[in-house]
Amino acid sequence: MTQTLYTESEVKSVVAGLAAAIAADSSERKILLLGLLKGCQPFLADLCRELSRYQLSLAVEYLQVSSYVGTASSGQVKISQTLPESLMRGCDVIVVDDIFDTGLTLKSVVTHLREKGAERVKTCVLLRKEGSSRVVMEPDYCGAVIPDAFIVGYGLDYNEQYRELPYIKVLGEEDRK
Ligand code: 5GP
Ligand code: MG
């Protein structure tokens, strides 16, 4: 049986809460939202729309990052391109990802950005898995904590399927085709 974890409207209110938290912390500096492809896509789009309610100076960029094979982390994080330092200069960079599991992805990206000259880097995830972190790091903004299960929908895929779902569910046996 498929288990819906977050309905479309529940996702919307989690994203609205994250936008409010980001806006409450914002300084005079420009915010650069840096989305990790591909999973960040619907989340980042909705987060931008929610942030538009606040008077912020906002830019958006993306990095292509991958670590998962099927339903498990390979432990190797591949960052496929880099971001010019000129784009990050003077900005508060907020790395946006769908989910924090082992933490290796965000940790690698933050380390990479610091090496490339980013001054202020924060992290924002829609979800984090309970008790699964393998790194000494906490996301600065986290929408909700979920049990340790493999989930799909709202950008999250299983072998490139299910990203289009507007809700989030646990991947069922019947979905592994
Ligand atoms: P981490 O590096 O923190 O272990 O994993 C983060 C990345 O792994 C996420 O950006 C996401 O792409 C992928 N990931 C982790 N857990 C899940 C999950 O439950 N479902 C899906 N579809 N991807 C996941
Ligand atoms: Mg990812």
Side-chain angles (χ1 to χ4, degrees):
M1 242 318 252
T2 296
Q3 193 193 339
T4 300
L5 265 188
Y6 289 92
T7 63
E8 191 172 355
S9 67
E10 286 168 341
V11 170
K12 191 172 165 41
S13 64
V14 171
V15 177
L18 285 169
I22 291 171
D25 287 351
S26 70
S27 62
E28 295 292 287
R29 290 153 62 104
K30 187 197 247 181
I31 295 174
L32 176 64
L33 293 178
L34 180 59
L36 304 188
L37 293 171
K38 300 173 193 168
C40 76
Q41 277 186 310
F43 173 38
L44 185 54
D46 288 345
L47 187 63
C48 285
R49 265 189 287 269
E50 291 294 341
L51 283 168
S52 73
R53 300 172 192 279
Y54 306 91
Q55 304 295 312
L56 302 171
S57 167
L58 210 64
V60 181
E61 293 288 342
Y62 297 93
L63 276 186
Q64 173 81 54
V65 174
S66 59
S67 64
Y68 258 59
V69 180
T71 60
S73 171
S74 67
Q76 300 284 320
V77 180
K78 267 195 281 175
I79 303 174
S80 304
Q81 84 279 50
T82 189
L83 199 64
E85 192 270 335
S86 56
L87 283 177
M88 299 188 280
R89 199 174 303 141
C91 291
D92 289 339
V93 179
I94 303 182
V95 182
V96 178
D97 203 5
D98 43 18
I99 188 165
F100 183 100
D101 179 12
T102 64
L104 290 170
T105 301
L106 276 187
K107 178 91 176 150
S108 304
V109 171
V110 169
T111 304
H112 173 81
L113 295 175
R114 295 224 164 97
E115 282 167 7
K116 296 290 166 199
E119 298 153 18
R120 290 182 16 188
V121 185
K122 287 185 174 178
T123 54
C124 173
V125 293
L126 181 70
L127 304 170
R128 94 166 270 172
K129 283 191 200 172
E130 209 166 31
S132 60
S133 174
R134 278 203 247 149
V135 296
V136 189
M137 169 182 180
E138 288 291 323
D140 295 289
Y141 304 100
C142 173
V145 179
I146 62 162
D148 189 7
F150 191 81
I151 57 161
V152 294
Y154 198 63
L156 290 144
D157 74 310
Y158 170 67
N159 291 340
E160 298 303 328
Q161 298 176 87
Y162 308 118
R163 291 193 198 274
E164 73 281 13
L165 300 177
Y167 54 87
I168 294 169
K169 67 171 187 171
V170 175
L171 185 77
E173 271 313 312
E174 68 282 10
D175 301 319
R176 296 171 192 254
K177 51 185 181 322

